[in-house]
Amino acid sequence: NDKYSYYMQANQIQSITDIVRVIVFLENWKPGHLLEINGIRVPEWKCGDYVSWAGPTSHMAANLGHENRYTLQITGSV
C-alpha cells in the first residue's frame, strides 16, 4: 500500500484520503502480469483499459511473466 508521502509533501496535502491513483494499461494483459485492488484481481485487461482507487485502498501489482508490463500511472488529488 502506497503511503504517497512524497506526493503529499510536495503538494501540501494533509490527508491520504484526498489522493487518487489511476493506472492506464498501455498494452493488453500478458501471462504473469498481476494487479489486485482491495483484494480483487483485475483480469486480463486490454490496451486502453484503466482502473482507479482513492486513498489508503489496498493494492498490488507484480510482473511474474517474461515480458515487460507497461502502464501509465497518474496520481492526483480531489
Side-chain angles (χ1 to χ4, degrees):
N1 194 6
D2 287 331
K3 295 185 171 126
Y4 304 109
S5 55
Y6 174 79
Y7 183 84
M8 290 175 69
Q9 181 181 14
N11 294 283
Q12 300 175 343
I13 297 170
Q14 300 299 314
S15 174
I16 193 171
T17 59
D18 292 334
I19 306 294
V20 176
R21 169 77 45 87
V22 178
I23 301 292
V24 180
F25 300 104
L26 301 179
E27 297 182 318
N28 291 343
W29 173 89
K30 296 175 184 165
H33 294 183
L34 306 173
L35 178 64
E36 187 175 290
I37 301 171
N38 235 7
I40 300 170
R41 185 180 69 87
V42 177
E44 304 175 7
W45 56 78
K46 300 289 184 201
C47 181
D49 288 351
Y50 67 93
V51 294
S52 65
W53 62 89
T57 302
S58 175
H59 58 281
M60 65 74 75
N63 184 355
L64 304 174
H66 297 287
E67 298 184 54
N68 290 334
R69 179 179 61 91
Y70 295 101
T71 61
L72 171 65
Q73 177 175 288
I74 303 166
T75 303
S77 58
V78 293

